[in-house]
Amino acid sequence: MNDTRPDPDRLLAEVADEQRQTARGKLRIFFGACPGVGKTYAMLQALQQLQSEGRHVLLGVAETHGRAETARLLAGLPRLPLRELEYRGRVLRELDIDTVLAAGPDLVAVDELAHSNVEGSRHRKRWQDVEELLGAGIDVYTTLNVQHLESLNDIVGRITGVRVRETVPDHVFDQADDVLVVDLPADELLKRLADGKVYLPKVAECARGRFFRKGNLIALRELALRRAADRVDVQMRDYRRTRAIDAVWPNRERLLVGIAGNADDEGLVREAARLARKLEADWIAAHVDVPQQQAGVERQRTAQTLALAASLGAETVTLPATTDVASALVACARARNVNRIVLGLRPRQPWRFWHRSTADRIGGAHPGLGLVVMAASVDHERVARRPLSLSGIDWLPYGWATLACLVATVLASPLLRVFDLANVVMVFLLTVAIVALRWGRGPGAWAAFVAVACFDFSQYVFTFGLMLAVALIIGQLTARLRREARLAGARERRAVALAGLAHALSAALTAEQIEEVALRNLKACFQAGVGLALPDAEDRVRTARSNAISMDESIAQWVYDHAQAAGAGSDTLAAARARYLPLKAPMRVRGVLALEFAQEGALLEPDEQRLLEACCNQLALALERVHFVEVAQNTLVAIEGERMRNTLLSAMSHDLRTPLTTILGAAQAVAPQVRGQSVEALVVSIDEQAQAMLRLIENLLDLARLQSRGVELTRQWHSLEELLGIALRALREPLRTHPVTVDIPEGFPLLEMDATLIERVLVNLLDNAAKHTPGGTPIEVRVRHEGGNALIAVSDSGPGLPTVAVDKLFDPFERGRRESVVAGAGLGLALAHRIVRAHGGTIEARQRHPHGAVFVVTLPASAPPDVEAA
Amino acid sequence: MSTARILLVEDDANIRRFVRMALQDEGFEVFEAETSKGALIEASTRQPDLAIVDLGLPDADGKLLIAQVRSWSALPIVVLSAREREEEKVAALDAGADDYLVKPFGVPELLARVRAQLRRRQADSTTGSSVVSFGDIHVDLASHEVRRRGEIVHLTPIEFRLLAAMIRGRGRVLTHRQLLHEVWGPAYVDRAHYLRVHMANLRHKLEADPAQPEHLLTELQVGYRLAGM
């Protein structure tokens, strides 16, 4: 690839990143090697500076630890009241996010990013609080020590011998907009320590001697500086990439870490994270779910390790074991384009000489894959040892085994008289086999022992060995069969549950039915109390009435808004009794599901987790389907309503016009025959009034049409002169007694307008002028082009406008003079007003000097299309 | 001419009655039909000189009736239509109708249109000269010479072709499509604004008051008609 264009995918990702960051607040981290280097001090100084520049800053949390010089910097900074929470008899103060959000400052300072919140806070960790603040567009200043960085946590622990529990995921650090290293040479720090200027947390106090050794401090300082330099390096590379300085796009590395549930998994994951960062690689932490190997402790540990990997930036997957671990890992690697697999080193177990490690198998069968085998250190502090007590063993089967052997002895003794000894042994073998089959390996072995003891032939060592072997083999086989049967049963149960849910949901037509289905099916499926909350039209979630548990609506709302799980078993609002899960459909979150388990941590098993996810997906999809069905129905109703209105209007229009046609036609047909007779005037007045009525009906129907469906314009390029011609022709009769002059410049450009409607405007303005002025007075129409607009002025020389309520002229049913005998309920002007406004123009009425009225219509005029001259 | 036979196709009895009266007073012989089917029978047996057809017939679309009549007869057809059926009017004209009136219509207007159509039919049957005149305009179709009050008026080739097309229409309402197709060609049938610009030019050259034309009349949303020939 010699192309020097930047990789488009990366650029897109960067653009998306930038867009996210423009909406997000900016995070600046004051980063130090250890406590006492002056991070808080530096932060407060920066805050003072910003405030003097006039920015709205807020002090969220600042730990001065009683240091006078730091406390002095607090002066003048607006402080936020902290939330007081009682915890184990003590009142603790925590940052109150809602107050900060409500205050809406430009920037808020929150000390100690790694802090863990007291139980009962919204998030477990302060860095999550900070994320939410950033998400709301508020800038944040914060402080962090190198030892609190998740990926370096264990290294620092090894250097200093003190392991801190509070950590911050690396992505928070890597995605910070600014990292400011607050640095102090080791000697100076030691001097400050000697002067008592450094506060130490109580935990560290005892380790003071161990922690603050010069060697440690130098190592920590190096670590902090190097980590900060790494960040700068990444920025530099990013910069080069956007400017296409790199001539080559390196293929992105992708690592896959296999997690087995061993004690060294945590170390392995940390090592892998460091490796991934150095290689700039994406990485996946994969756990192969082999049922045989999973005791409760191991499952717990695996879940924790996966969570750790996720917090270190890995994508986590749990793979179902199809054949064996090695092939499952390789299949995943192939599917995801992974070029390196990272595995922990397993020492060869001499007593299982035939057993090959996963690494060996992958290396042997797939030499093309890069294989990294790491000997990760085991953090013994964190390893929960499996208890070695006898209390866990169920003694009853051993009793049964003993009893069975005694019964066999009783049965065998008479047989001995008849049969050869070698035959009687078979009775015991059968007993051992039955015991092993019934109660498993342990009782089987015990039965073999008891059988030989009853047999009382100490010289039959070989027989004993044989029996033991049979017991062990059968026990092993039975155990495996049982486990597999149990697993198959569990899988079956889940598949049935899921299929049942899918089937029930497919029949649901309303959100209420979905609620009911969810509550009924999930309760049986997870042995948990189930609740559901669905959003209303304003996006506020409402808990379902039939919920089996009481849901906290504020938590449900949070989950709905953020599309993240919360409540028990998560990092957010963990104090809640139930677990709240967002129902994410392709378009958006459709609701919130709450599950309340009888025992805690019941959901950590990957299988259950997957099942729950599948159920959530099904529910979300069903809700979305129902939503769209509803939308479609509403649209249909609207269309139907519209159609009915239109039918009604055109029926009315037809029914009103038809009799008028007859009246007009009859009057006009009679007119020539009554010429000169006394009834002629009557016939003429029938004709005239019918025509006036016709215009009134036209206006009424037009107005009704415009009001019912809004104004829909069919715009085309039309000539105003032509439309004026049509209007004048239509009004020949009413205008007969008025001399009309039209002044329109030759070559006046075409206007884009709805001709039928604008013709109605012109007809109404002219008709209005004819109606309200005495016969013989002239009417003038002037058309001009002015500043991108076309101006049409219709002026008369009548009595002018009524002095009051000129602005109400254009309201329907408003006439200039109430006592006027002139027909027309003022609909014409209202109609004209509506039509002109729909065209983006204006209409106004003015008095004319010395007398008369002028109506001016302004229509926007854009450049007309070209017409080929010929 | 006085014995011209007119077929009136209209389902409303009231309208039929006064139209018949007005036509008979003018000396026409009138036959009536209420339905499309009846109209076809009347048209073929009575051999009318002109038909007045309401578009909204109970048994079939008036458009179909026009197309059927047109397939074997050239008799002038005047259409009556309701106002909101703009597209139907255009379709009826394209199907072969010669003129249309919107309900409610004036009786004098109807009679004028009927007379104009009958005149056109007569003129069609006699071979006319190449010179036609309307108002104070004289047009020599052979020499492309146009005079107004005796003075030569200069028209561009497009304007002359447009005028000639209107003259050939002889008072028929010509739709935008028909005119565009005849003057500019089939590729231009959707460019009604061409017509509007050139028609405006023509009016300024030929009409006394272009804003209140006497001859080159606009039928809103439908087309143009040459009156007074």
Side-chain angles (χ1 to χ4, degrees):
Chain A
M1 271 210 251
N2 291 325
D3 207 333
T4 53
R5 282 172 308 146
D7 178 350
D9 285 342
R10 276 205 187 181
L11 274 182
L12 275 179
E14 260 160 46
V15 170
D17 244 24
E18 266 167 34
Q19 278 173 348
R20 201 173 52 235
Q21 275 163 9
T22 46
R24 273 171 73 89
K26 296 215 179 301
L27 176 65
R28 170 178 282 193
I29 297 176
F30 292 81
F31 187 58
C34 61
V37 293
K39 295 178 302 294
T40 307
Y41 188 83
M43 182 178 79
L44 291 176
Q45 255 182 340
L47 215 58
Q48 289 280 10
Q49 172 70 27
L50 282 178
Q51 193 179 29
S52 70
E53 285 168 14
R55 302 227 3 226
H56 180 201
V57 298
L58 261 186
L59 196 55
V61 181
E63 313 279 357
T64 59
H65 304 305
R67 268 169 272 167
E69 48 189 75
T70 312
R72 230 173 288 136
L73 279 176
L74 294 176
L77 288 174
R79 247 198 130 132
L80 210 67
L82 296 179
R83 210 157 99 100
E84 296 193 349
L85 287 160
E86 212 181 289
Y87 181 66
R88 296 196 183 153
R90 283 188 302 160
V91 174
L92 294 169
R93 290 170 185 196
E94 291 292 355
L95 179 67
D96 189 348
I97 314 176
D98 291 324
T99 340
V100 180
L101 290 175
D106 296 336
L107 185 141
V108 64
V110 182
D111 213 353
E112 298 282 347
L113 186 60
H115 175 79
S116 293
N117 291 334
V118 185
E119 245 174 66
S121 309
R122 181 183 299 174
H123 300 291
R124 273 199 187 156
K125 302 283 189 176
R126 185 168 285 164
W127 64 263
Q128 292 172 315
D129 293 347
V130 166
E131 289 275 296
E132 190 166 342
L133 291 176
L134 292 171
I138 297 171
D139 294 351
V140 178
Y141 278 11
T142 188
T143 63
L144 182 70
N145 281 328
V146 68
Q147 62 201 11
H148 293 295
L149 263 183
E150 183 70 64
S151 67
L152 296 177
N153 179 262
D154 59 332
I155 293 186
V156 176
R158 249 177 280 150
I159 293 172
T160 60
V162 179
R163 188 82 183 262
V164 288
R165 290 270 174 268
E166 304 184 322
T167 57
V168 173
D170 285 58
H171 66 82
V172 177
F173 182 78
D174 288 331
Q175 284 166 12
D177 299 272
D178 252 330
V179 170
L180 216 112
V181 179
V182 182
D183 188 32
L184 198 67
D187 287 332
E188 249 171 81
L189 182 63
L190 286 172
K191 187 168 171 294
R192 284 176 56 133
L193 190 71
D195 295 347
K197 284 182 178 171
V198 175
Y199 161 85
L200 286 178
K202 283 198 190 69
V203 200
E205 192 71 43
C206 56
R208 179 179 179 140
R210 265 201 289 167
F211 192 87
F212 284 95
R213 277 197 313 231
K214 193 171 174 182
N216 282 355
L217 294 182
I218 291 171
L220 284 177
R221 193 173 168 222
E222 191 191 335
L223 209 55
L225 290 174
R226 201 188 280 167
R227 185 68 179 83
D230 276 354
R231 225 188 83 93
V232 175
D233 196 35
V234 169
Q235 282 173 346
M236 182 63 193
R237 265 178 291 181
D238 281 351
Y239 175 82
R240 286 167 65 97
R241 201 153 44 226
T242 21
R243 304 295 138 116
I245 293 168
D246 262 355
V248 186
W249 307 332
N251 270 332
R252 199 148 186 157
E253 291 267 346
R254 190 169 278 178
L255 305 184
L256 181 92
V257 188
I259 292 165
N262 293 316
D264 65 347
D265 279 350
E266 195 186 319
L268 181 67
V269 162
R270 284 183 201 283
E271 286 292 344
R274 280 191 283 270
L275 181 63
R277 205 178 48 244
K278 272 184 208 126
L279 294 172
E280 252 198 293
D282 294 334
W283 62 295
I284 302 167
H287 165 63
V288 181
D289 188 14
V290 186
Q292 290 97 308
Q293 293 172 357
Q294 283 181 336
V297 183
E298 277 163 358
R299 273 173 181 257
Q300 197 79 13
R301 189 159 54 209
T302 304
Q304 280 167 3
T305 313
L306 284 176
L308 172 72
S311 81
L312 287 169
E315 182 191 338
T316 59
V317 289
T318 303
L319 308 168
T322 42
T323 47
D324 64 328
V325 176
S327 51
L329 284 178
V330 169
C332 175
R334 288 270 145 83
R336 305 296 301 272
N337 232 354
V338 166
N339 38 16
R340 268 171 230 238
I341 295 182
V342 180
L343 293 169
L345 180 66
R346 301 273 164 274
R348 185 170 277 275
Q349 294 163 322
W351 62 90
R352 291 175 77 187
F353 53 89
W354 70 91
H355 190 82
R356 291 166 69 216
S357 72
T358 307
D360 285 344
R361 270 192 274 177
I362 293 178
H366 308 277
L369 272 172
L371 193 62
V372 180
V373 180
M374 283 180 168
S377 62
V378 176
D379 180 2
H380 290 286
E381 269 183 72
R382 284 203 178 181
V383 175
R385 286 202 183 78
R386 220 192 282 194
L388 265 179
S389 73
L390 295 176
S391 60
I393 301 174
D394 186 5
W395 292 112
L396 194 64
Y398 289 87
W400 284 115
T402 314
L403 191 67
C405 288
L406 292 178
V407 171
T409 312
V410 173
L411 284 176
S413 35
L415 287 179
L416 259 181
R417 285 177 221 137
V418 187
F419 295 108
D420 191 28
L421 188 65
N423 296 324
V424 177
V425 168
M426 289 300 140
V427 174
F428 286 94
L429 193 60
L430 181 68
T431 313
V432 169
I434 288 170
V435 169
L437 200 61
R438 181 77 182 78
W439 290 291
R441 229 175 346 180
W446 171 248
F449 181 74
V450 175
V452 172
C454 296
F455 213 51
D456 193 27
F457 297 110
S458 52
Q459 67 270 40
Y460 291 105
V461 177
F462 180 70
T463 314
F464 171 69
L466 200 73
M467 277 191 192
L468 195 61
V470 165
L472 287 178
I473 288 167
I474 289 180
Q476 182 76 23
L477 281 176
T478 315
R480 187 182 290 174
L481 270 175
R482 270 207 205 120
R483 211 159 34 218
E484 269 162 20
R486 204 188 61 228
L487 279 172
R491 271 196 206 113
E492 166 101 19
R493 188 173 58 83
R494 281 192 287 270
V496 166
L498 207 54
L501 182 67
H503 184 253
L505 283 177
S506 69
L509 291 175
T510 64
E512 288 75 35
Q513 283 170 340
I514 291 177
E515 260 170 31
E516 195 201 313
V517 166
L519 297 180
R520 183 155 33 83
N521 282 275
L522 296 186
K523 180 171 184 280
C525 193
F526 292 104
Q527 314 295 327
V530 182
L532 202 66
L534 301 179
D536 60 12
E538 280 91 43
D539 269 350
R540 309 293 309 167
V541 292
R542 297 266 169 271
T543 51
R545 221 169 295 132
S546 47
N547 279 355
I549 56 167
S550 70
M551 279 175 80
D552 184 331
E553 269 192 18
S554 61
I555 300 180
Q557 186 65 44
W558 191 90
V559 169
Y560 178 75
D561 291 342
H562 292 76
Q564 279 173 20
S570 74
D571 283 343
T572 305
L573 298 159
R577 292 195 350 181
R579 179 158 210 197
Y580 292 77
L581 298 160
L583 299 174
K584 282 188 242 177
M587 301 298 288
R588 51 174 306 181
V589 178
R590 292 285 169 201
V592 178
L593 178 74
L595 291 177
E596 195 175 308
F597 295 98
Q599 79 264 40
E600 251 173 76
L603 250 188
L604 280 169
E605 293 195 14
D607 267 353
E608 297 276 301
Q609 193 74 41
R610 276 201 297 272
L611 177 63
L612 183 59
E613 270 166 29
C615 288
C616 283
N617 279 341
Q618 295 251 10
L619 278 177
L621 282 177
L623 285 169
E624 187 151 289
R625 174 175 56 80
V626 165
H627 169 77
F628 281 122
V629 165
E630 224 164 84
V631 168
Q633 275 171 348
N634 288 345
T635 314
L636 214 64
V637 168
I639 289 171
E640 191 60 24
E642 175 75 356
R643 209 178 57 80
M644 273 180 61
R645 265 201 301 278
N646 288 345
T647 315
L648 189 71
L649 272 173
S650 65
M652 261 178 62
S653 145
H654 180 260
D655 291 355
L656 286 172
R657 275 204 194 96
T658 309
L660 263 182
T661 308
T662 311
I663 296 171
L664 268 174
Q668 287 174 352
V670 166
Q673 296 171 7
V674 296
R675 198 150 291 153
Q677 297 176 23
S678 54
V679 289
E680 186 187 358
L682 293 180
V683 173
V684 167
S685 86
I686 291 175
D687 185 14
E688 277 177 4
Q689 292 304 305
Q691 298 223 23
M693 191 166 169
L694 176 66
R695 279 191 293 277
L696 182 66
I697 288 171
E698 306 264 301
N699 280 346
L700 199 63
L701 289 172
D702 277 343
L703 204 60
R705 209 169 279 139
L706 292 184
Q707 267 172 346
S708 82
R709 59 177 101 140
V711 188
E712 283 169 27
L713 299 182
T714 320
R715 286 184 194 234
Q716 277 186 353
W717 293 96
H718 281 279
S719 148
L720 259 184
E721 190 180 60
E722 219 165 62
L723 296 183
L724 266 170
I726 296 167
L728 289 170
R729 206 175 165 74
L731 291 173
R732 251 174 319 180
E733 275 308 300
L735 287 173
R736 205 180 45 226
T737 56
H738 297 273
V740 180
T741 51
V742 177
D743 174 9
I744 178 165
E746 195 178 337
F748 192 82
L750 301 183
L751 297 177
E752 199 177 23
M753 53 194 174
D754 188 317
T756 321
L757 294 178
I758 293 293
E759 191 250 0
R760 302 295 303 154
V761 173
L762 298 174
V763 163
N764 276 301
L765 290 182
L766 288 167
D767 187 37
N768 203 50
K771 271 193 299 200
H772 295 96
T773 55
T777 54
I779 294 171
E780 288 166 43
V781 182
R782 283 161 64 90
V783 178
R784 287 291 178 269
H785 200 277
E786 226 176 78
N789 286 318
L791 263 59
I792 308 158
V794 178
S795 39
D796 60 51
S797 304
L801 299 166
T803 44
V804 283
V806 171
D807 51 331
K808 282 195 172 170
L809 270 177
F810 299 105
D811 292 343
F813 309 108
E814 190 69 34
R815 275 192 343 213
R817 293 164 208 282
R818 261 160 228 292
E819 69 281 16
S820 165
V821 290
V822 186
L827 285 177
L829 289 180
L831 183 67
H833 183 227
R834 233 164 233 274
I835 293 170
V836 170
R837 210 177 41 191
H839 279 81
T842 57
I843 181 167
E844 51 188 311
R846 293 186 207 140
Q847 293 288 6
R848 192 184 182 201
H849 290 287
H851 47 79
V854 192
F855 286 86
V856 181
V857 172
T858 312
L859 291 173
S862 45
D866 281 340
V867 174
E868 288 166 34
Chain B
M1 164 116 181
S2 56
T3 54
R5 299 143 74 89
I6 293 177
L7 172 61
L8 173 61
V9 190
E10 163 67 64
D11 59 326
D12 188 298
N14 292 315
I15 295 177
R16 220 163 49 225
R17 189 183 313 134
F18 81 75
V19 172
R20 188 191 62 220
M21 265 182 63
L23 289 172
Q24 282 171 340
D25 285 351
E26 284 292 302
F28 298 118
E29 197 177 339
V30 181
F31 307 103
E32 292 176 20
E34 281 178 55
T35 59
S36 177
K37 203 183 271 175
L40 274 174
I41 295 168
E42 293 285 324
S44 53
T45 55
R46 309 275 187 183
Q47 298 291 322
D49 299 300
L50 182 142
I52 299 173
V53 177
D54 179 20
L55 280 185
L57 291 175
D59 61 334
D61 194 341
K63 258 197 331 271
L64 280 174
L65 172 65
I66 293 166
Q68 272 173 314
V69 171
R70 212 16 110 239
S71 64
W72 47 265
S73 168
L75 88 160
I77 298 174
V78 177
V79 165
L80 303 176
S81 87
R83 187 190 143 216
E84 43 301 339
R85 300 186 174 173
E86 219 93 89
E87 317 81 47
E88 241 177 54
K89 275 184 312 213
V90 178
L93 291 167
D94 281 337
D98 300 277
D99 201 350
Y100 77 92
L101 281 168
V102 175
K103 284 184 195 173
F105 49 88
V107 170
E109 185 72 34
L110 172 70
L111 295 176
R113 301 281 176 98
V114 167
R115 280 195 292 267
Q117 291 301 332
L118 288 171
R119 259 204 315 279
R120 179 175 71 77
R121 187 172 155 83
Q122 224 162 32
D124 279 351
S125 54
T126 62
T127 51
S129 74
S130 71
V131 180
V132 285
S133 57
F134 48 93
D136 46 14
I137 314 287
H138 298 271
V139 181
D140 188 334
L141 292 169
S143 64
H144 288 206
E145 198 180 77
V146 182
R147 284 173 186 273
R148 184 176 166 207
R149 292 190 197 129
E151 281 177 41
I152 288 192
V153 180
H154 291 284
L155 298 185
T156 65
I158 283 280
E159 284 164 9
F160 186 82
R161 287 219 293 278
L162 186 55
L163 180 62
M166 299 278 286
I167 288 169
R168 276 196 298 279
R170 287 181 182 274
R172 290 176 60 206
V173 175
L174 301 167
T175 62
H176 293 137
R177 281 182 84 82
Q178 289 168 346
L179 280 172
L180 285 163
H181 189 277
E182 203 168 331
V183 178
W184 277 272
Y188 289 78
V189 291
D190 291 325
R191 304 192 193 178
H193 59 274
Y194 275 48
L195 267 180
R196 295 190 182 111
V197 168
H198 288 286
M199 192 60 78
N201 293 341
L202 210 49
R203 283 201 188 108
H204 277 269
K205 288 179 181 175
L206 302 180
E207 295 278 1
D209 182 355
Q212 301 184 60
E214 300 276 316
H215 308 292
L216 301 166
L217 302 183
T218 315
E219 299 293 341
L220 185 60
Q221 304 287 53
V222 174
Y224 295 92
R225 183 162 61 88
L226 183 66
M229 210 169 89

